[in-house]
Amino acid sequence: MGDVLAGIQATWEFESDSVLIRFERGIRTPKLLSVLGERRIPHEALASVMLTPGKRGTVVLRAVPRSGADPLMEAAADQLKEACDPYRLVLPAERETLAEYYADELRARLSPDADRPADRFTVAAPPPPLHFKAYDGKASFDGTHVSFRWFRTGASSAKWKAGDQSFPVAELSGVEWRSPEVFDGCLRLLRDGGTPGERAQPDQDPAAVVFGLGYGPVHESLPFAAAVLESIRTTSAVPALAIPSARRDPADIADRIRHLGELHQAGLVTDEEFTTKKAELLAEL
């Protein structure tokens, strides 16, 4: 097609095998869309195309992604607000006829398997490195490892006892993202087939960071979750080799040992746990 359809806060460029969506970087544009910048959606990633009436004299053109085609939408799990949906294009009502034309053109290019879940991701996730600050720690992803570094003022004693974490992607089975806009928001790395009810609470789980007001916003934590999920799906099943961690800052180690001592004195850490963890910290020097 090669045509461009400009809407409110986004522009769709129709190509022979995909739709290139570019988002505006304005004050009124949701931060998630501004951060995404642009996304290329192959026709094979679409399940259907809809055109519906919008609010205040607008119409909405929406491409519905196939289940399993887009890591961002898989991680979001239907938690995004309507305004943050990257598959919606809002247009003035007078452009309805033009929008219907492009909707028909897209429908004609859908895959014969459009009504079935995709067997692989065909929409790219934001590339690493990525990081964000949650309430109880900082999460980082370099493409092969997800790391959590706990904050002294926010992390639970269980996480301090476990220490900072680094998870090879090859050892992960999935990602659970709960929007920071709900009271129990978190990002949890899944390493087994257990059900959610069998897992520890996120604030006690060293494989999770918890969100709070002003921490882990959607535009930072969701692209992070999508990138990790994509990497998990595309990583070889061969077990990852252990990679020695970089030497830590001695001042940071000293601070961790001091806090460990405080936990020990408060009775939150046993003598054996204190001795073992202190030895581990000293070995990182």
Side-chain angles (χ1 to χ4, degrees):
M1 290 178 274
D3 295 335
V4 173
L5 184 60
I8 300 172
Q9 299 176 346
T11 299
W12 288 17
E13 183 175 347
F14 300 90
E15 302 180 344
S16 60
D17 60 350
S18 60
V19 180
L20 178 61
I21 302 176
R22 294 189 174 94
F23 303 105
E24 294 181 1
R25 298 181 183 274
I27 296 177
R28 296 185 178 181
T29 303
K31 288 185 178 180
L32 174 62
L33 303 185
S34 294
V35 167
L36 293 175
E38 67 176 42
R39 308 193 80 213
R40 186 178 299 278
I41 313 297
H43 296 155
E44 62 177 320
L46 300 179
S48 62
V49 182
M50 301 185 301
L51 183 65
T52 58
K55 299 177 181 178
R56 301 173 185 172
T58 64
V59 293
V60 178
L61 177 63
R62 185 172 190 269
V64 181
R66 292 172 65 187
S67 173
D70 184 347
L72 187 84
M73 302 306 285
E74 291 297 299
D78 297 323
Q79 297 177 77
L80 286 179
K81 292 182 177 179
E82 190 176 74
C84 293
D85 184 350
Y87 286 83
R88 292 175 77 250
L89 181 65
V90 181
L91 300 151
E94 57 266 24
R95 308 194 73 186
E96 181 175 3
T97 301
L98 185 61
E100 185 61 59
Y101 165 78
Y102 285 113
D104 288 340
E105 289 290 305
L106 275 180
R107 293 184 188 111
R109 287 168 167 74
L110 295 181
S111 165
D113 298 323
D115 59 342
R116 302 176 185 175
D119 57 5
R120 61 187 177 86
F121 289 140
T122 55
V123 182
L130 295 166
H131 59 83
F132 69 90
K133 290 183 179 179
Y135 174 74
D136 58 356
K138 180 179 180 179
S140 303
F141 178 50
D142 63 5
T144 61
H145 287 70
V146 181
S147 301
F148 294 156
R149 182 182 179 187
W150 308 121
F151 294 153
R152 184 170 184 174
T153 56
S156 64
S157 59
K159 291 183 177 180
W160 271 105
K161 288 168 65 175
D164 293 346
Q165 302 290 305
S166 180
F167 302 91
V169 167
E171 296 179 3
L172 302 177
S173 60
V175 177
E176 177 187 8
W177 181 79
R178 298 181 191 171
S179 174
E181 295 176 343
V182 298
F183 78 96
D184 58 348
C186 70
L187 182 143
R188 190 199 306 261
L189 305 176
L190 307 181
R191 295 172 290 173
D192 54 46
T195 61
E198 298 172 342
R199 303 185 188 113
Q201 290 297 314
D203 65 331
Q204 302 295 315
D205 186 353
V209 290
V210 297
F211 305 143
L213 186 61
Y215 297 92
V218 171
H219 70 278
E220 293 179 349
S221 59
L222 181 56
F224 185 103
V228 175
L229 184 59
E230 180 185 57
S231 186
I232 291 172
R233 295 281 181 89
T234 56
T235 296
S236 170
V238 177
L241 298 176
I243 300 176
S245 59
R247 290 193 177 276
R248 301 275 292 278
D249 182 353
D252 180 55
I253 295 295
D255 185 61
R256 296 299 300 277
I257 292 176
R258 187 179 306 110
H259 182 69
L260 184 65
E262 293 172 357
L263 294 175
H264 181 230
Q265 291 178 358
L268 298 174
V269 176
T270 65
D271 293 344
E272 182 180 354
E273 290 173 331
F274 173 75
T275 301
T276 300
K277 190 61 184 178
K278 181 178 179 180
E280 291 177 357
L281 291 170
L282 290 172
E284 296 183 22
L285 291 172

